[in-house]
Amino acid sequence: MNDSTPLIVLIAILGGALRVSTPFMFVALGECLTEKSGRVNLGLEGTLVLGAMTAYAVSYHSGSPWLGVLAAGLAGAALGGIHGFICKLPKVNDVAVGIAMMLFGTGIAFFFGKAYIQPTAPRLGSISLGDWTGNAQLATALQINPLMIVGILVAILMWWAFANTRWGLIVRMSGDSAPSAMAMGVSVDLVRFLATTAGGFLAGVGGAFLSLYYPGSWNQGLSSGQGLMAVALVIFARWDPIRCVAAAFLFGATGAIGPALQSVGVTQGYYFFNAAPYILTLFIMIASAGSKKAGRDVPGELSIIK
Amino acid sequence: MSNALSAAPSLVSTPRAMSLETIGMTKTFGSFTALDNVSLKVDAGSFHALLGENGAGKSTLVKSIMGYYHADKGSLLLDGHEAQVRNPRDARDLGLGMVYQHFTLVPCLTGAENLVISRADAPAVIDWKKEKKALDAFLDRMPFRAPLDKPVSSLAAGEKQKLEILKLLYLDQRLLILDEPTSVLTPQEADEILGLLKGMTDRGDISVVIITHKFREVTAFADALSVLRRGKRVGGGLVKDMTTDEMARLMIGDTPIRQRALRQENTTGPVTLELAGLMADGDEGASVLNAVNLKIHSGEIVGIAGVSGNGQSQLVEVLSGQRPLRDGRIFVRDKPFEPTRDAYFRLKIFGLPEEPLKNATVARMTVAENLAFRNFDRPPNAKFGWWLSPGPMRTKARELIARYRVKTQSPESAIGDLSGGNVQRAVLARELSGEVDVLIVANPCFGLDFASVAEIRSQIMEQRNKGAAVLLVSEDLDEILELADRVAVMSEGTIAFVSPIGETDRATIGKHMAGHE
Ligand SMILES: Nc1ncnc2c1ncn2[C@@H]1O[C@H](COP(=O)(O)OP(=O)(O)OP(=O)(O)O)[C@@H](O)[C@H]1O
Ligand SMILES: [Mg+2]
């Protein structure tokens, strides 16, 4: 070990955070939008996987990865739309439907995706933000994907829209008090349907990142529960899009601790460090669940808290 | 945004108030007829009171007018023309505005957000600078204010109600329907708001339909009235032609009113409930209870008066275990008390919090289940503490429903479907039917008709006479003066003044409520 080791580890963690956080970010934003409207969509894991497969397939056939991203979003929106539609039916529980949709999404992704495990599709490029530093490691770490920037912009847009647009207020209203919204003539079901659909779109785009950027290929083990963790991230971010982004980065960074340490030769506790993000989430959840603030930020209509 | 109060000349020349008429309105819920062929006329520019006992169908009628419910039969005329109101949005577009009995402001939005979003022409992108300026200008014309920058969930009931009414005025509606708007207001606030609305009706700016249980408000402000009983319109006319006795008789028919329970003298026993230096934080984290000290003897009612928002609701929450204490202790019979279910049961502590639908019931569970909350896991309702037997629960529920005259279709109806006053009664039935040592009540008569008020007050008095220590938090000073043995005034989270009721008067209490010595 020498003096620069801590720095190398830090850079590696930063790089890891930037690399793996994007899908978390998109799924969390999608879930955030859905939950703000008063509905839970636990099916986003399935949406993520279907998005990854669709993106890869479309990119392969069309040669355009961005078309793949769009197709992933549309596939996600379709799944979200189905979820939103089923939940409109009377006496349907959105949590149960979500779990069914998760299985459905992964199921059709694996079914149609068999043919795309072998071929190589064009992938998304990256933007180098770190070349000016003259430090090779930093430059690699700061190679980022345009989707990450899109995600951050979407988060800022959502944050702004929730406070400053009619649609934003209507979504929050439907999520917090359906009777009030109905008294104002808002069709709560429609708002939730649209929010779930849009949320599905975002989660689908998150999937495109997995297959078209990092890890950057399509196979059945592509997602390791990112879609589910993102649901937890939303709670931890207390339904704030900006905090969702921060949470995604934090999650990505803790996930990168293990590999980063390994890269400088620290192999002890490798598995422990791999579990770090989950342990962290658990602790943060315990800490924030007890705070009164969290209780106040929960949309009042969520079926899990009713 | 043109407002009725602004002095635009066009508004003065053409009266804007709208007339309303229902013809043969009928509404059933399942096999139950909540409204039976109700025809009612509200003249343009009149202040029309709608009276009736709890569960008479008043809320159902106005909700059907607003398109919140769909009447099975009947039609609606606005300004003499038949109007189709399919949903509340149609109603809003036609100039009908309503303050519902349960608040309809969105808790997570601020006052300003609530106002702006309720507008039909709410802009797709809201320019908050401009809107805030317009809102300030609007508020300047209003005789009362409400905080617009805080989330509604952090407002006190009185503030919420003002905001509800401000919203309708802001929307510039031509006929306002107010479902018991004053239950949560102090008499001064109520007079102020109703006076303002009355002025607007006199000028022909709006018509008002108000549902109320307070005859005082009817005689002071209304021109005309209608009375509903069991879903039928049983009478009405001009207010000046009727006495309150006639109104009362129309409301309840020949049902006898329960006699007021008499206060037995010298029942006061040892200290039963002692609050020692209670401190607690509000939702925003700021301290809302600042060392509340109070001793309540058995056989005594201590009334807590105060302007709403001075910590009364939080005090009740602390006592009912809904809010943690930061510091201080509660003693029951000199033993420290922790708010556990078991302790409530053992020490026979009961209570009726404010907004009972939210704080004391589960709206989607049945009346019978709600009635059994205190004892569903004890014999005879349960074996071994976990095997529930619905039979005894239902029998008990039937008995309580009959004894407390809770109007419900059956013990199996969801309690959220009961009328406001009947939810209150159901909770009282649960809390008062056993032996009570400590009773904590907050605004127990909020929204009850006069017959129920008499009944509930006499029940509280009866518990006192039997030796219960009663803490009565009320925004209705008359209620405190009638029931309490001692009055305590709460101001800024602490008890500012305590006096036996015979040694003080309204003016002194009022002064302490306002924070002056
Ligand atoms: N959604 C519903 N489903 C079933 N029954 C209902 C529903 N709403 C009201 N009712 C019943 O209709 C009757 C009239 O209720 P309503 O709320 O109109 O009474 P109210 O006159 O407003 O009484 P209160 O003074 O207590 O508010 C009650 O018996 C109530 O139980
Ligand atoms: Mg009512």
Side-chain angles (χ1 to χ4, degrees):
Chain A
M1 284 219 197
N2 56 38
D3 290 348
S4 65
T5 311
L7 194 66
I8 296 176
V9 171
L10 274 183
I11 292 173
I13 290 176
L14 173 72
L18 293 180
R19 204 162 45 237
V20 303
S21 57
T22 307
F24 286 116
M25 193 153 81
F26 273 97
V27 181
L29 289 175
E31 184 67 19
C32 178
L33 177 60
T34 310
E35 291 194 10
K36 273 278 191 193
S37 80
R39 188 162 280 158
V40 178
N41 184 357
L42 290 187
L44 291 186
E45 171 77 9
T47 314
L48 189 79
V49 175
L50 183 66
M53 191 286 289
T54 315
Y56 202 75
V58 170
S59 169
Y60 172 71
H61 286 295
S62 71
S64 159
W66 285 103
L67 211 58
V69 172
L70 181 69
L74 293 178
L79 276 192
I82 298 176
H83 181 278
F85 177 79
I86 297 177
C87 289
K88 281 203 312 192
L89 307 173
K91 301 227 170 184
V92 168
N93 179 289
D94 52 0
V95 171
V97 174
I99 291 172
M101 289 303 294
M102 174 166 87
L103 299 174
F104 176 66
T106 32
I108 51 171
F110 292 168
F111 179 76
F112 289 112
K114 283 231 166 61
Y116 300 102
I117 294 178
Q118 287 298 330
T120 317
R123 294 174 27 178
L124 291 167
S126 57
I127 306 172
S128 306
L129 288 186
D131 288 350
W132 54 272
T133 57
N135 176 327
Q137 278 150 337
L138 207 51
T140 332
L142 288 179
Q143 293 249 329
I144 58 152
N145 179 272
L147 274 182
M148 187 184 96
I149 297 174
V150 174
I152 294 174
L153 291 180
V154 168
I156 294 173
L157 181 76
M158 272 168 65
W159 170 79
W160 174 83
F162 280 143
N164 292 294
T165 65
R166 182 175 67 220
W167 264 98
L169 293 188
I170 287 179
V171 168
R172 281 166 66 199
M173 180 156 81
S174 309
D176 204 42
S177 170
S180 312
M182 265 137 70
M184 279 185 211
V186 169
S187 165
V188 174
D189 279 339
L190 180 68
V191 172
R192 291 188 184 159
F193 172 76
L194 294 176
T196 315
T197 308
F201 186 93
L202 289 176
V205 171
F209 179 93
L210 287 179
S211 62
L212 294 182
Y213 187 74
Y214 184 85
S217 64
W218 160 248
N219 63 63
Q220 299 195 348
L222 192 58
S223 162
S224 47
Q226 279 100 326
L228 283 173
M229 286 315 293
V231 176
L233 288 190
V234 176
I235 301 176
F236 155 44
R238 299 210 308 269
W239 295 271
D240 179 323
I242 302 285
R243 282 197 292 249
C244 281
V245 172
F249 278 129
L250 183 65
F251 203 78
T254 38
I257 294 177
L261 286 177
Q262 200 183 29
S263 73
V264 296
V266 181
T267 47
Q268 278 152 326
Y270 180 70
Y271 291 101
F272 173 77
F273 283 115
N274 274 354
Y278 304 95
I279 297 171
L280 178 83
T281 315
L282 208 58
F283 276 110
I284 294 179
M285 293 281 254
I286 292 168
S288 70
S291 87
K292 282 177 207 143
K293 274 205 175 118
R296 212 174 47 235
D297 293 333
V298 187
E301 288 285 322
L302 284 190
S303 61
I304 39 172
I305 61 150
K306 259 192 168 174
Chain B
M1 177 198 61
S2 70
N3 190 277
L5 287 189
S6 63
S10 63
L11 300 184
V12 179
S13 52
T14 47
R16 309 180 59 260
M18 185 157 64
S19 74
L20 174 148
E21 189 172 353
T22 66
I23 301 171
M25 280 263 188
T26 300
K27 170 76 191 162
T28 54
F29 293 110
S31 60
F32 173 78
T33 307
L35 278 186
D36 191 355
N37 213 13
V38 175
S39 299
L40 164 131
K41 189 162 180 358
V42 179
D43 293 325
S46 80
F47 198 112
H48 195 104
L50 187 55
L51 305 181
E53 54 182 341
N54 294 127
K58 306 177 297 292
S59 297
T60 307
L61 174 64
V62 291
K63 282 182 180 170
S64 303
I65 292 174
M66 289 296 295
Y68 193 87
Y69 290 152
H70 295 263
D72 304 322
K73 258 193 2 231
S75 52
L76 175 69
L77 303 186
L78 296 177
D79 274 341
H81 302 292
E82 176 142 10
Q84 291 298 332
V85 180
R86 282 165 314 232
N87 56 45
R89 188 162 33 183
D90 286 355
R92 180 190 61 191
D93 295 344
L94 288 164
L96 286 173
M98 171 159 169
V99 173
Y100 291 84
Q101 194 166 3
H102 302 291
F103 295 115
T104 57
L105 295 167
V106 183
C108 74
L109 301 186
T110 64
E113 288 174 331
N114 266 291
L115 290 191
V116 171
I117 195 62
S118 62
R119 242 165 51 199
D121 64 339
V125 173
I126 301 162
D127 176 356
W128 279 115
K129 240 198 209 135
K130 192 179 119 226
E131 295 294 347
K132 288 254 165 71
K133 234 161 110 200
L135 282 169
D136 279 339
F138 162 74
L139 278 188
D140 284 343
R141 294 196 303 272
M142 293 291 126
F144 55 93
R145 301 185 143 255
L148 291 185
D149 293 328
K150 288 200 268 178
V152 167
S153 56
S154 67
L155 301 185
E159 292 173 314
K160 283 189 211 169
Q161 192 62 289
K162 284 187 188 169
L163 195 56
E164 293 268 9
I165 294 173
L166 282 175
K167 186 171 98 181
L168 298 188
L169 296 175
Y170 174 74
L171 291 177
D172 204 12
Q173 304 289 27
R174 299 163 58 205
L175 189 142
L176 308 193
I177 301 175
L178 310 171
D179 196 349
E180 300 187 29
T182 58
S183 327
V184 285
L185 303 179
T186 62
Q188 291 84 340
E189 284 174 319
D191 284 354
E192 191 186 315
I193 292 176
L194 296 182
L196 156 83
L197 294 174
K198 172 77 177 152
M200 293 176 70
T201 58
D202 286 347
R203 282 196 300 276
D205 287 337
I206 54 172
S207 316
V208 169
V209 175
I210 182 170
I211 297 177
T212 179
H213 291 293
K214 297 176 186 157
F215 291 129
R216 193 184 63 79
E217 291 171 359
V218 177
T219 46
F221 298 103
D223 322 309
L225 67 95
S226 299
V227 180
L228 291 187
R229 188 187 334 146
R230 304 213 178 106
K232 290 200 180 66
R233 181 170 187 273
V234 289
L238 292 180
V239 172
K240 63 175 164 32
D241 300 337
M242 289 173 97
T243 65
T244 48
D245 276 351
E246 284 169 331
M247 298 176 201
R249 210 158 320 115
L250 276 176
M251 278 171 68
I252 59 165
D254 304 323
T255 325
I257 297 185
R258 181 170 170 145
Q259 283 302 308
R260 185 186 280 196
L262 292 178
R263 180 189 305 276
Q264 280 169 19
E265 295 307 325
N266 302 324
T267 51
T268 314
V271 172
T272 301
L273 176 67
E274 178 176 357
L275 315 180
L278 301 191
M279 310 253 222
D281 295 331
D283 294 332
E284 306 293 317
S287 182
V288 282
L289 293 185
N290 306 312
V292 174
N293 291 300
L294 196 63
K295 286 182 182 163
I296 304 176
H297 302 255
S298 80
E300 176 190 47
I301 300 179
V302 174
I304 298 211
V307 178
S308 72
N310 273 289
Q312 297 97 317
S313 351
Q314 288 84 358
L315 177 63
V316 174
E317 283 170 8
V318 161
L319 292 174
S320 40
Q322 286 174 298
R323 183 178 292 278
L325 276 177
R326 174 160 43 88
D327 201 0
R329 279 285 4 205
I330 303 168
F331 295 93
V332 177
R333 301 191 190 293
D334 297 330
K335 296 221 177 55
F337 162 79
E338 295 294 337
T340 60
R341 200 174 134 76
D342 182 58
Y344 282 106
F345 182 79
R346 233 174 346 102
L347 300 168
K348 305 197 181 77
I349 303 175
F350 292 89
L352 174 69
E354 51 181 13
E355 291 190 61
L357 191 59
K358 182 176 130 208
N359 288 318
T361 62
V362 179
R364 291 195 270 183
M365 289 173 80
T366 68
V367 176
E369 285 166 341
N370 272 285
L371 283 172
F373 276 1
R374 288 277 179 191
N375 48 23
F376 67 92
D377 54 353
R378 298 177 204 278
N381 291 336
K383 285 197 193 76
F384 326 114
W386 55 271
W387 183 267
L388 303 189
S389 2
M393 242 189 263
R394 212 173 302 128
T395 320
K396 181 77 182 165
R398 285 232 174 74
E399 180 203 316
L400 288 177
I401 287 169
R403 180 137 65 97
Y404 287 80
R405 284 184 262 152
V406 182
K407 286 207 190 81
T408 171
Q409 274 164 265
S410 87
E412 311 307 322
S413 314
I415 200 163
D417 287 342
L418 298 197
S419 79
N422 280 303
V423 173
Q424 194 99 342
R425 278 195 216 198
V427 175
L428 273 169
R430 177 178 83 205
E431 302 292 309
L432 295 188
S433 53
E435 219 175 287
V436 181
D437 277 358
V438 176
L439 184 62
I440 294 149
V441 274
N443 296 314
C445 298
F446 173 127
L448 295 188
D449 62 47
F450 68 95
S452 316
V453 169
E455 170 155 353
I456 280 167
R457 289 193 182 154
S458 76
Q459 301 230 9
I460 293 173
M461 187 59 84
E462 231 163 59
Q463 295 295 350
R464 167 204 177 269
N465 290 345
K466 282 196 275 179
V470 182
L471 179 73
L472 166 72
V473 176
S474 179
E475 278 161 34
D476 180 353
L477 200 48
D478 292 313
E479 180 163 80
I480 288 180
L481 292 173
E482 178 185 330
L483 291 176
D485 297 279
R486 276 191 300 149
V487 59
V489 175
M490 208 161 165
S491 171
E492 289 176 11
T494 187
I495 303 287
F497 171 74
V498 187
S499 162
I501 206 86
E503 295 167 22
T504 185
D505 55 29
R506 203 178 269 276
T508 320
I509 298 174
K511 241 190 273 162
H512 284 95
M513 280 169 68
H516 307 302
E517 299 310 312

